């Protein structure tokens, strides 16, 4: 009997190993068959995930907190590119590396900017070129969702209704924040409707909600602050008695602290534009990013001290 028991014991161990051994590769196969959407930055990845639901695996080339404009792609990025179904980028020159990256890849490309009306950069080397940061205004965020919906429906027309439902739910959430932006900015005193940042990445927000804007450099791709630019921002803050100035999460706020020292304005904090924050940070999703930016603007520019 003992021998028999031992036999059954080994038999069951053998079966267990084989069954679990079999199930693992089959999981793997399913994963490999998932269609991958590759995108350029974390903010866009989050927006795509909200429309794609569980129909696609969405990956961002740049990681959280990285500077996106001048990113250098790696061999690992190329491998990911070769496995992806589609590459969705922002465009308007945001991803300076995108053309080169796509040269050797046989992949469908959707560029959001192809269907967005640009605001042009008004100075320096980028004068006359489109400002890429359209998503920073929740008004334009809704347009991004529409473009993503069209792209996904093209790839999987049989899931169009599912994407449509997801897009509608997501746009509702963006619209709620959009209304809050209007309320908050309309309630600011007229002379405080002035947004001073490090990068000139807020033009769409400024235009859509009636803010004036000032910045230390127009685009992160050339993030040097010249003495001329520094003096101009300091004078703007002094002349308009602007209570707070801001910087962004992906660059150093050192230069903006010079402005606060020189003017007595307070440092209003880091706005999020080109990247989300980590999961436990204030801008872990596009919606959280919009809310965070709105709260900082509200706290900074409402300050009567
Ligand atoms: Zn930027």
């Amino acid at each position: 009997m003992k021998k028999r028991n031992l036999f059954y014991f080994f038999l069951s161990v053998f079966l267990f190993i084989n069954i679990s051994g079999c199930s693992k590769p089959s999981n793997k196969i399913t994963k490999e068959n998932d269609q991958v959407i590759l995108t350029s930055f974390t903010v866009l990845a989050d927006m795509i995930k909200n429309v794609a639901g569980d129909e696609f695996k969405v990956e961002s080339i740049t990681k959280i907190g990285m500077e996106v404009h001048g990113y250098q792609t790696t061999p690992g990025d190329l491998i990911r590119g070769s496995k992806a179904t589609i590459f969705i980028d922002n465009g308007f020159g945001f991803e300076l590396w995108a053309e080169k990256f796509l040269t050797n890849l046989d992949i469908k490309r959707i560029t959001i900017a192809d269907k967005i009306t640009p605001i042009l950069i008004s100075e320096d080397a980028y004068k006359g070129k489109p400002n890429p940061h359209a998503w920073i205004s929740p008004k334009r965020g809704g347009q991004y969702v529409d473009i993503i919906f069209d792209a996904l429906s093209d790839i999987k027309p049989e899931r169009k209704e599912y994407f449509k439902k997801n897009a509608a739910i997501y746009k509702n959430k963006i619209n709620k924040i959009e209304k809050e932006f209007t309320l908050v900015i309309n309630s600011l005193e007229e002379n405080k409707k002035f947004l001073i940042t490090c990068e000139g990445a807020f033009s769409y927000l400024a235009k859509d909600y009636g803010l004036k804007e000032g910045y230390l450099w127009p685009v992160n791709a050339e993030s040097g602050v010249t003495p001329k630019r520094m003096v101009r921002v300091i004078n703007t803050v002094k002349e308009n008695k602007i209570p707070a100035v801001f910087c962004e999460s992906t660059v150093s706020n050192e230069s903006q602290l010079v402005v606060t020292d020189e003017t007595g304005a307070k440092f209003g904090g880091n706005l999020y534009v080109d990247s989300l924050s980590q999961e436990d940070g204030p801008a872990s999703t596009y919606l959280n990013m919009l809310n965070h930016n709105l709260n900082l603007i509200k706290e900074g520019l409402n300050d009567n001290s």
Side-chain angles (χ1 to χ4, degrees), residues 28 30 40 57 65 69-70 74 86 106 116 138 149 182 199 222 228 242 246 250 255 266 272 298:
K28 244 186 181 170
T30 321
S40 51
K57 196 175 165 204
H69 296 260
T74 65
I86 181 172
D106 181 23
I116 302 264
F149 163 70
T182 307
E199 186 185 19
E222 44 138 22
K228 196 177 146 195
I242 297 167
F246 305 86
T250 48
S255 305
K266 77 172 183 182
Y272 282 77
K298 189 178 170 183

Side-chain angles (χ1 to χ4, degrees), residues 67-69 94 132-133 135 199 201 218-221 250 273-274:
E67 209 294 299
V68 184
H69 296 260
F94 181 51
H133 311 88
W135 67 90
E199 186 185 19
V219 181
N220 270 357
T250 48
V273 191
D274 292 350

